[in-house]
Amino acid sequence: MTILTDPPKESFRLSMLIYDTRYRSLTFQAITAAVLALCIWYLGNNLIQNLRAAGLNIAFDFLGDPSGYDINQRLVEYDSQSTHARAALVGLLNTVLVAFLACVTATVFGVIAGVLRLSNNWLVSKLMAAYVEIFRNIPVLIWIIIIFTIMTAVLPGPRAFRGDDPASSMLFGSFAFTNRGIYTPMPWFESGFFASASLNWLVVLAGLVVSWIVSRRITAWATAKQEATGVRPKTMLPVLAVWLVPFLVLMLVMGLTWEIPALKGFNFQGGIKIGGPLIALWFALSIYTGAFIAENVRAGIQAISKGQTEAAAALGLRPRRVMNLVVLPQALRVIIPPLISQYLNITKNSSLAIAVGYADITATLGGITLNQTGRAIESVLLLMLFYLTASLLISFGMNLYNASVKLKER
Amino acid sequence: MSDQTSTSVAFVAKDTIPPSPPPGRETGIVKWLRENLFSNIPNSILTIVSLYVIFIVLKNTMPWIVNGVWTTSSLSQCREVLNGETGACFSVLTERWNQLLYGFKYPVDQYWRPNLALLLMIVAAAPVLFFDLPRKLLLFTAVYPFLAYWLIWGGSVYVPLIALLGFVAATVVFQTFGKGSFAIGFFGAIVAAFVVWMVGGALIPETASENALLSPVPSRDLGGFMLNLMLGATCVSLSLPIGIVLALGRQSDMPLIKWVCVIFIEFVRGVPLITLLFVASVMLSYFFPPESSVDLFLRVVIMITMFASAYIAEVIRGGLAALPKGQYEAADSIGLAYPQAMRLIILPQALKISIPGIVNVAVGLFKDTTLVSVISMFDLVGMIRGPILASTEWNGVYWELLGFAALLFFIVCYGISQYSQWLERRLATDHR
Amino acid sequence: MKKSVILGALTVAGLAAGAAAAGTLDDVKARGKLNCGVTTGLVGFAAPDANGNWDGFDVGVCRAVAAAVLGDPNAVEFVPTTGKTRFTALASGEIDMLARNTTWTFSRDVDLKFEFVGVNYYDGQGFMIPKELGVSSAKELDGATVCIQTGTTTELNLADFFRANNISYEPVPIETNAEAQQQFLAGACDVYTTDASGLAATRATFENPGDYAVLPEIISKEPLGPLVRHGDNEWGDVVRWTLNALIASEELGVTSANLEEMAKGTSNPEINRMMGTEGSLGEMLGLDADWAKRAIAAGGNYGELFAKNIGEETPVGLARGLNAQWKNGGLLYSPPFR
């Protein structure tokens, strides 16, 4: 055992601020804090001086004033007498809508293209490679404009549907593809349980949730049975029945009918209208991001070593179960994190809606409201706050997922 | 003996049978087709569908491209020449070629300047991109930004010269004092650069820009694809050093510095570029001193650089995290100080791993430079959507223009991504 | 100046153009260039041609101001602005004046702190439709899809008009005139609405202008005029009186053809005061004596500018209408040069 002696007490010298690791970090942080404070003071001071010189102030009360403009696509009640805050809300919901739709379709495109790119069909894999390269290497803004131009310049206007011998006609007599958007039949209930349509849809949704719970139960029972006896009972038919029967019964009871769009006046009336800008943005974002997702999917599948597949085959698993039980769970761990960051990109790129006149939050709050009120600083700040919150929420979700699938190493 | 054989056996092969060629379906093109295109029924269906898709695409585009008209001066003339047939009016490209590439205000007789700058950029970028080239070329890379600035903006040669001198002074000071203590060298270098800039700035004669060798061009006059290239190149090269600092800051164990970097990175990555461009166009000028006005190009460069540096910081952080912990410990154990360890051990390896990621960020950023058209800057897309489509002559020519823009971006971005893949293959050998 | 040198070196570019706080007039003189905000392209009012030269009615006002202040009608830097960027560009000092068919409204004048120096075009919001729709009045537009340029007063007028008449419509917001044109021609909207002058200018660029008609209703007052920042009255005076000189010279019969002759001195004292041969109006403005002469020489008087850019002889083909001199029943009325 050695005896430790205290090192000789040093008196504090100024040079220790730089040379002594104990103080150095404090020194650097102090310098940073000073520089930071100086910057903030400088910028803030400039801002205040400029605003004072221009006679402006920062206030958010314009949000309560009537907006005075109309929005063509709204998911909640809105008219030109609503407030700017309401307009921002309409925009926000539209952003969420297009981002959600684009995330779903981009995933579908991406998975299909990614899997087909690994196909042993030479032509198909080359075609998919071409898709990925072409869409990845051209700016998304150009894609949005191109697809929007296709929408407006190639599809016929509603006028072409008019007359006894129209230049265009509706697909199956119920779908109209016009340059203002696509009109599809809208389902509604003749004899619903409630007067309000949305309540009826809630009933349908509730039915689906029940079906989902029951089918989960059936699957769990099958697994338990398999673990006990080694034989998995066939569950496909019961599951199918659990999903379909209640749904069909509900539809029958409530009297499902379709409202078919028809040309009246200037436009098609009735049915569901999916506006041209929404389609252009949705499709452009999904096909562009799909190309990136395809690469992620390919990389994810290729990351699973061949030994895994072979080992599963050696255990006697069938190819489908190899995919479901061995390859996919492992590949997903590689695929999901970049996938979610692609979802983040979709949300952020949806702000390009402004190029096609889709009323997302950038177009309402950061566009028309900003223009009409001249409240540039406030509007842009609110806009950034929204996107920041959205991104943080999505990355929070991603971190939760990452933590849950992390390899449990011991 | 021989008789016997000849009678009892009907046939005896006298020599070996030459190997017969494999059956037709197992050789050459047929085999390749069978294996690669028609191996089973689903595959055959896929092949036929793909062929049909290709056929449809070609059928619709080929006549359009082949019949293209290249020499008219307006859309109506072009339609007359086509006389009702399908065909493209590529003449918009030839007539507006200069506008598409340089914007509509850059002086025509000065086009050689951006051209030369682009050419020199390739020379300057070469030693960075390809490690095998002589390291001496890096000296030119260091001088290039100042040369390019002078070429494109023109005006007094003193401005870039003094800026360059400032950096040279900073380097000299750092080399002299940085050996003893990094901090002294670092802060000394900053002070030296500022002294040179201030003294130099005061020395520039007021009339310098009037009788300059190259006539000055205001940055508002930049446009077209040149603007995209310049924004891309400027912002990527500015954001690299900032990104490195941010990445190191985020890894730092000093809480204040760490949190400043984290907040900055997460904030910038959380908002779309377009809102940052709104900041540049409608907000940023409020943050500059009241009596100065910073032009739009510079404000956009500031915001895009911020944007890019946050992404590059994340890529480099990935590179830093990928380094085995042993490297950090080894550097510590041989007694290297933090700056030395970073400069000599960690960063060279981490940067090398991150190069493909950085190239990806650069490609993405280059594509995103088209967004400046939204804030009424006339880059390639802005030129197309603004002055060209609005003009009486070319009102209604979309496909030729958009196709041209897409093609230009595709060539550049595909080229860079091919480089990145080449690099990945090269770097893959020495690290695992 | 010192500050700008340091800042210039700091930004390693000198891109930061230093500007003294003295006043816009001195800034412009020191710079030798007038920064004038215009639209991104509206034929007849402001549009660049294939060589990048700007031309048009609003451009003419900019050139006149440049000629009056700097003596050179070409000493103008045209800054294209959209509906969104125009006010910030002016407020932040990026441009010295905005001549971008901007409507003079209370809130822009008072709340946004700008100063409208006059009206160079009395306009109103109209509707353009394809003739084949067979619509003859804006009140028949129930359910129509309407293209509008965002960030303009037309957007608000439109909402008011349809609300007041209790009919519905679907707005299609669009950033620039070029896109609106594209959408309208493709039939993506039934109606295009903007200032009547803008409609005429847009229609002039169509392949078959005859297939489209402008509806008789004018649903708003749109006095369009150049504007400057609030609080810089010297500069505001220069722009205001340059515009007035253009208007008054038409009234007084001074044209670019007889300008030299008139400048030698006439029997009309008002012309003499304007031309600087009598009195010292130029000096009061902080300019030299023949400022107005140069402004008129730049592109002619108001009538000449109108005829050359948007008049009935041009493809835009606008009648003088409200924009005739007051003597001819219009609203143009310049205060006296005295």
Side-chain angles (χ1 to χ4, degrees), chain B residues 151-398:
Chain B
L151 273 176
I152 289 172
W153 277 273
S156 163
V157 73
Y158 295 113
V159 176
L161 207 61
I162 284 170
L164 176 61
L165 278 180
F167 280 106
V168 170
T171 321
V172 169
V173 168
F174 183 75
Q175 294 290 353
T176 325
F177 297 101
K179 293 218 173 62
S181 154
F182 176 81
I184 294 178
F186 181 70
F187 291 114
I190 293 179
V191 171
F194 272 84
V195 167
V196 170
W197 286 333
M198 259 140 123
V199 172
L203 285 181
I204 297 180
E206 289 278 319
T207 53
S209 62
E210 273 137 47
N211 42 29
L213 195 58
L214 297 178
S215 58
V217 178
S219 55
R220 198 176 287 125
D221 290 0
L222 307 172
F225 194 57
M226 174 180 79
L227 182 64
N228 292 114
L229 280 175
M230 280 171 47
L231 279 174
T234 318
C235 297
V236 168
S237 40
L238 284 179
S239 60
L240 256 178
I242 303 179
I244 295 176
V245 171
L246 283 172
L248 291 180
R250 196 173 178 162
Q251 295 241 312
S252 160
D253 42 14
M254 298 180 233
L256 181 73
I257 292 178
K258 179 176 178 179
W259 283 106
V260 168
C261 293
V262 167
I263 290 173
F264 178 86
I265 292 174
E266 291 306 322
F267 172 76
V268 171
R269 278 161 41 94
V271 298
L273 179 56
I274 206 155
T275 58
L276 292 179
L277 290 176
F278 281 173
V279 171
S281 77
V282 302
M283 246 173 90
L284 204 57
S285 32
Y286 288 115
F287 290 100
F288 288 110
E291 64 270 33
S292 74
S293 75
V294 178
D295 76 20
L296 185 60
F297 180 81
L298 184 58
R299 288 185 314 216
V300 165
V301 165
I302 291 175
M303 294 320 283
I304 300 187
T305 305
M306 267 174 63
F307 182 76
S309 53
Y311 282 82
I312 286 187
E314 283 301 276
V315 171
I316 294 177
R317 185 170 75 117
L320 289 173
L323 276 194
K325 210 159 186 269
Q327 296 289 327
Y328 291 88
E329 286 162 354
D332 283 346
S333 69
I334 55 173
L336 292 182
Y338 177 80
Q340 289 170 316
M342 284 299 141
R343 210 151 45 93
L344 302 173
I345 311 282
I346 306 299
L347 277 183
Q349 301 184 62
L351 286 183
K352 209 170 173 186
I353 309 177
S354 353
I355 288 180
I358 294 176
V359 174
N360 279 344
V361 172
V363 171
L365 188 80
F366 176 59
K367 285 186 292 174
D368 281 347
T369 55
T370 51
L371 300 198
V372 298
S373 65
V374 174
I375 54 167
S376 76
M377 279 176 93
F378 288 123
D379 74 319
L380 182 58
V381 176
M383 278 309 291
I384 291 174
R385 301 218 303 161
I388 296 182
L389 276 181
S391 67
T392 323
E393 301 92 43
W394 296 114
N395 183 353
V397 189
Y398 317 116

Side-chain angles (χ1 to χ4, degrees), chain B residues 79 99 104-105 149 153 163 194 197 201 220-221 278 282 285 291 293 295 298-299 376 378 385 390 392 395 398, chain C residues 5 10 12-13 15 17 19 35 49-50 52 54 77-80 82 84 88 92 94 178-179 181-182 205 207:
Chain B
R79 285 194 179 138
Q99 288 199 353
F104 60 90
K105 283 195 291 190
Y149 167 77
W153 277 273
F194 272 84
W197 286 333
R220 198 176 287 125
D221 290 0
F278 281 173
V282 302
S285 32
E291 64 270 33
S293 75
D295 76 20
L298 184 58
R299 288 185 314 216
S376 76
F378 288 123
R385 301 218 303 161
T392 323
N395 183 353
Y398 317 116
Chain C
V5 170
L10 269 183
V12 198
L15 287 170
N35 291 333
D49 64 10
W54 287 83
E77 188 66 48
F78 290 100
V79 181
T82 63
K84 172 180 285 146
T88 341
S92 67
E94 192 183 341
E179 283 159 66
Q181 217 165 297
Q182 173 188 340
T205 65
E207 214 179 359

Side-chain angles (χ1 to χ4, degrees), chain A residues 157-176:
Chain A
R159 267 170 253 159
F161 291 82
R162 195 166 289 135
D164 295 327
D165 184 25
S168 318
S169 55
M170 292 167 75
L171 189 67
F172 306 129
S174 43
F175 293 86

Side-chain angles (χ1 to χ4, degrees), chain A residues 218-256:
Chain A
I218 295 178
T219 320
W221 166 79
T223 312
K225 187 106 180 188
Q226 182 186 23
E227 274 165 11
T229 64
V231 183
R232 190 177 181 86
K234 290 211 182 330
T235 56
M236 203 172 90
L237 273 179
V239 167
L240 209 64
V242 162
W243 277 106
L244 278 184
V245 172
F247 183 74
L248 290 179
V249 167
L250 262 182
M251 290 292 140
L252 257 165
V253 168
M254 298 213 288
L256 177 79

Side-chain angles (χ1 to χ4, degrees), chain B residues 65-82:
Chain B
I65 294 174
V66 171
N67 280 343
V69 178
W70 292 87
T71 49
T72 57
S73 64
S74 78
L75 182 61
S76 45
Q77 277 185 24
C78 173
R79 285 194 179 138
E80 262 169 45
V81 172
L82 283 174

Side-chain angles (χ1 to χ4, degrees), chain A residues 162-208:
Chain A
R162 195 166 289 135
D164 295 327
D165 184 25
S168 318
S169 55
M170 292 167 75
L171 189 67
F172 306 129
S174 43
F175 293 86
F177 294 86
T178 76
N179 56 6
R180 293 176 193 174
I182 295 174
Y183 297 83
T184 66
M186 180 172 71
W188 61 288
F189 299 113
E190 223 162 38
S191 52
F193 300 131
F194 303 97
S196 132
S198 43
L199 277 181
N200 284 329
W201 283 111
L202 268 183
V203 171
V204 176
L205 190 70
L208 289 180

Side-chain angles (χ1 to χ4, degrees), chain C residues 64-90:
Chain C
V65 173
V69 177
L70 301 167
D72 178 7
N74 293 318
V76 190
E77 188 66 48
F78 290 100
V79 181
T81 55
T82 63
K84 172 180 285 146
T85 54
R86 55 182 165 178
F87 296 125
T88 341
L90 183 59

